[in-house]
Amino acid sequence: MTTELNPFDVAKKQIDIVAKEMGLDPNIREYLKRVERSLIVSIPIMMDDGSLKIFEGYRVHHSTVRGPGKGGIRYSPDVNLDEVKALATWMTFKCSLLNLPLGGAKGGVRVNPRKLSERELERLTRRYTAEIINVIGPDIDIPAPDIATDKKVMSWIMDTYSMQKGRSTPGVVTGKPIEIGGSVGREQATGMGIYFVLQGLCEKLNFNYKELSYVVQGFGNVGGTIAELLYNDGCKILAISDISTGIFYEGGLDIPKLLEWVKYGNYLKDYKDDRYKLITNDELITSKCDILIPAAIENQIAKDNANNIDCKIILEGANGPTTPKADKILFKKGIHVVPDILANSGGVCVSYFEYIQDIHSYFWKLDRINKELKRIIIEAFEETYRISQKRKINLRTAAYVIAVGRLAKAIELRGFFP
Ligand code: GLU
């Protein structure tokens, strides 16, 4: 893998860029380029057919300087330690940007969950939890959903942890079902955050977001939610994609029908509508539109295709979809890139609300969740925008100036042990 496409190299490069911009203490710069701890575990699973398969899992804490670690767990056949380290690093910056009293962590298991039965998936989740049990907990590190993990997986983690500790511990994970300590609004939160940030930026640029055209890469929790919110407001969504294909229709896709289709495990490539054209991932990313929302995986906009991007705004629903080389090209082209640590931070923000609600055993109503989410994310957006204008830098570096600034202050105040 080239350095441009290694997510941890990307994260380190981003730290170098902001360090230079801020004149950051070189000791702190080097410290932020390391993770606090990485745990690699083997997960032996008895498969339904009686064979034994051993999967590899990870949990990484990048920083707990500002609070316990926080970040999702992804199930993917491609996940690896460097990717998890990068994702943990981005979580640190995301939580710091929103000024949440949390650090950054991430986990993953190298598995294709579509190839496992429900019982196998449960055994895998429970064994993975048992293997990482000493590094998670409400005041150590609180996992959450990420790619291919959901509230069912969070229930199994919560149950396994609680059984081992001998007490019900809802605060060990967020993204749980409501019935066992989950929060209303958590499932939609990442999409909702994108929606608020979009409106904030459109206000600055004097655009009416309802009159713009959209392309969304990814149709999972994040892509699906934002596409639905936009569709409900009458916005035109020209293209979306899942792992099977992209689909395009100039007249605007019928998002509710497509959501209903994928809900039962169907692929977009099998959806039948003669008006819809199947397109490749590269065609999707470079489609002409006003707003592009990459909401899938890392490295989708790199130096090879950045010149062909044809939109006004990019909202990063995924973590790490744009490489630093692409960032430079997009900045020159005048495209506004709202970085992942801001655009997709709605998820961890409502995770934080869930965690507080679990600790207090007192649960909020949806209007309070969305009001507080909007307040926190818009505050972070306003500050990011202000700094980008003042320093004439892109929104990513501006967001990092805030996030790294807060972290540097916390590191300085705590000092280095011993
Ligand atoms: N996996 C999500 C993210 O990348 C959410 C993390 C969380 O809620 O802790 O931000």
Side-chain angles (χ1 to χ4, degrees):
M1 193 185 281
T2 63
T3 287
E4 192 203 0
L5 301 182
N6 176 319
F8 195 46
D9 287 338
V10 167
K12 287 188 281 193
K13 177 79 192 162
Q14 289 164 341
I15 293 169
D16 281 336
I17 292 170
V18 71
K20 196 168 159 212
E21 173 64 31
M22 301 169 74
L24 186 70
D25 175 345
N27 292 328
I28 292 183
R29 183 188 67 206
E30 288 316 304
Y31 181 56
L32 290 176
K33 283 157 82 173
R34 304 290 183 104
V35 301
E36 279 177 12
R37 58 189 69 82
S38 313
L39 179 62
I40 306 179
V41 298
S42 291
I43 310 164
I45 297 302
M46 200 53 89
M47 306 301 278
D48 292 345
D49 66 3
S51 67
L52 185 79
K53 276 215 176 111
I54 303 170
F55 298 92
E56 187 160 286
Y58 315 92
R59 188 72 194 170
V60 170
H61 298 168
H62 170 258
S63 171
T64 54
V65 173
R66 288 176 36 89
K70 186 83 194 83
I73 292 167
R74 76 171 46 172
Y75 287 172
S76 154
D78 303 318
V79 76
N80 57 67
L81 186 60
D82 266 5
E83 183 182 11
V84 179
K85 281 182 175 177
L87 291 162
T89 308
W90 291 325
M91 285 309 303
T92 302
F93 298 143
K94 202 182 294 187
C95 293
S96 180
L97 175 64
L98 294 196
N99 212 359
L100 307 178
L102 296 167
K106 203 82 174 195
V109 178
R110 262 179 100 83
V111 61
N112 182 350
R114 281 195 183 244
K115 291 204 172 140
L116 298 191
S117 70
E118 170 120 351
R119 297 284 302 139
E120 288 166 345
L121 194 68
E122 179 174 351
R123 286 197 287 276
L124 175 97
T125 302
R126 288 186 182 278
R127 182 61 190 253
Y128 169 65
T129 308
E131 294 297 338
I132 64 166
I133 204 156
N134 290 327
V135 299
I136 60 169
D139 46 12
I140 304 173
D141 169 17
I142 308 113
D146 197 73
I147 294 174
T149 54
D150 58 8
K151 58 185 175 187
K152 191 172 59 187
V153 171
M154 297 307 118
S155 305
W156 293 327
I157 298 177
M158 182 272 206
D159 185 68
T160 305
Y161 184 90
S162 299
M163 289 296 108
Q164 296 297 313
K165 298 288 173 184
R167 56 182 175 272
S168 188
T169 315
V172 65
V173 279
T174 57
K176 299 178 295 296
I178 313 279
E179 295 81 356
I180 55 169
S183 174
V184 290
R186 173 61 186 87
E187 260 184 302
Q188 296 75 31
T190 312
M192 195 60 87
I194 298 175
Y195 183 67
F196 291 144
V197 168
L198 163 71
Q199 291 172 28
L201 183 58
C202 282
E203 221 169 88
K204 301 275 180 223
L205 303 175
N206 276 322
F207 291 157
N208 178 352
Y209 77 95
K210 293 185 184 174
E211 287 167 2
L212 303 179
S213 60
Y214 296 80
V215 166
V216 182
Q217 184 199 34
F219 207 41
N221 171 280
V222 182
T225 305
I226 184 63
E228 191 174 28
L229 287 168
L230 294 169
Y231 179 90
N232 290 342
D233 281 353
C235 302
K236 202 189 256 187
I237 297 143
L238 302 176
I240 58 159
S241 66
D242 66 3
I243 49 167
S244 73
T245 187
I247 55 172
F248 178 90
Y249 175 46
E250 231 174 65
L253 301 165
D254 187 333
I255 298 299
K257 278 203 182 132
L258 291 164
L259 280 170
E260 193 58 27
W261 177 252
V262 298
K263 196 165 131 188
Y264 300 103
N266 295 312
Y267 287 117
L268 288 177
K269 72 172 170 38
D270 300 321
Y271 187 79
K272 297 273 173 287
D273 188 321
D274 292 341
R275 298 168 306 166
Y276 296 0
K277 198 173 101 191
L278 297 189
I279 56 170
T280 64
N281 190 43
D282 208 49
E283 285 169 332
L284 177 118
I285 287 282
T286 54
S287 295
K288 184 177 170 53
C289 61
D290 296 312
I291 313 243
L292 173 64
I293 307 179
I297 52 171
E298 297 92 52
N299 297 332
Q300 297 303 295
I301 306 171
K303 72 172 191 315
D304 297 342
N305 64 357
N307 266 311
N308 304 330
I309 302 282
D310 195 357
C311 66
K312 298 187 177 79
I313 296 173
I314 296 174
L315 300 167
E316 295 188 332
N319 292 309
T322 312
T323 68
K325 280 190 179 144
D327 260 342
K328 256 194 191 163
I329 298 169
L330 297 170
F331 190 62
K332 271 202 198 123
K333 281 168 73 94
I335 297 174
H336 303 269
V337 181
V338 183
D340 46 7
I341 63 165
L342 175 59
N344 74 31
S345 64
V348 75
C349 187
V350 177
S351 271
Y352 170 60
F353 299 158
E354 179 174 333
Y355 170 72
I356 299 173
Q357 293 171 84
D358 287 337
I359 290 171
H360 291 183
S361 282
Y362 180 79
F363 290 86
W364 308 355
K365 293 258 186 274
L366 185 60
D367 58 349
R368 179 171 178 194
I369 297 278
N370 284 335
K371 210 169 121 201
E372 298 255 333
L373 167 62
K374 187 170 183 179
R375 179 183 62 77
I376 291 177
I377 211 164
I378 288 296
E379 221 171 88
F381 165 73
E382 289 287 343
E383 186 61 0
T384 302
Y385 191 79
R386 192 183 65 76
I387 290 177
S388 79
Q389 294 286 302
K390 194 172 134 206
R391 291 182 176 241
K392 297 188 174 33
I393 53 179
N394 66 20
L395 291 167
R396 188 181 323 277
T397 309
Y400 272 59
V401 166
I402 302 168
V404 170
R406 282 199 187 113
L407 266 160
K409 186 74 198 167
I411 294 166
E412 187 194 310
L413 287 168
R414 286 184 60 161
F416 289 96
F417 175 84

